[in-house]
Amino acid sequence: YLSACLPQIVGVYLPFLVHSLATTDPTPRLSAARLTAVFYVAVHSLNGHKELRFLLPVLPLLLLDASASAERLNLKRDGRLLGALRAVNLLAFLFFSLVWQSGSIYSMYQIGSLIPPDAAAVSVDLVTSCHATPAHTHLFRPG
């Protein structure tokens, strides 16, 4: 989880989280949130089946810790850093919403277009990895 899933869910806020963990003397509330997040990640790291979605419940606590670092760095003072952070977030948003894993969705449309319009029922077996075709359990013919 520490090398793969955690950087993915924290995203561009990872440097702030690392900075906060290294430099911030936490308040009692932040300390409780940090302890809860560390315990949660540690317990889930013991599980043999690891998925990114298992760490999503702890994401608000991690971002709370990252925000303590952002507050210490006083991002509002330096508008360039805040603008760069917004630009990186926008680029990540565009990439993950338009490009990332779009091939599996496109392939479902392609397979659907190969089904003859007059076919009553067609069965298609796909040999793919787990969750390779998200939200697609049925093929729909275009048109």
Side-chain angles (χ1 to χ4, degrees):
Y1 276 133
L2 293 177
S3 64
C5 292
L6 205 57
Q8 280 183 344
I9 67 166
V10 177
V12 295
Y13 299 103
L14 184 63
F16 297 110
L17 181 63
V18 171
H19 179 261
S20 178
L21 293 173
T23 62
T24 306
D25 185 26
T27 63
R29 283 185 180 174
L30 186 58
S31 180
R34 184 181 291 175
L35 182 63
T36 303
V38 167
F39 179 75
Y40 186 92
V41 172
V43 167
H44 278 76
S45 293
L46 298 174
N47 186 1
H49 180 78
K50 293 177 176 55
E51 286 188 39
L52 178 111
R53 64 187 174 111
F54 295 158
L55 292 184
L56 290 178
V58 80
L59 180 61
L61 298 177
L62 296 172
L63 293 179
L64 178 70
D65 212 349
S67 69
S69 171
E71 184 180 16
R72 286 188 77 210
L73 292 173
N74 196 4
L75 292 181
K76 291 181 181 177
R77 179 187 61 201
D78 189 4
R80 291 175 297 160
L81 184 59
L82 189 59
L85 186 61
R86 287 180 180 155
V88 168
N89 270 312
L90 179 64
L91 290 174
F93 166 75
L94 291 172
F95 175 74
F96 286 116
S97 62
L98 300 175
V99 178
W100 181 255
Q101 294 185 345
S102 62
S104 60
I105 296 171
Y106 178 72
S107 66
M108 296 304 284
Y109 287 117
Q110 288 297 103
I111 293 170
S113 69
L114 296 175
I115 299 171
D118 57 347
V122 175
S123 177
V124 177
D125 292 327
L126 300 174
V127 180
T128 63
S129 60
C130 183
H131 307 293
T133 54
H136 290 286
T137 57
H138 296 85
L139 290 174
F140 299 98
R141 289 188 295 253

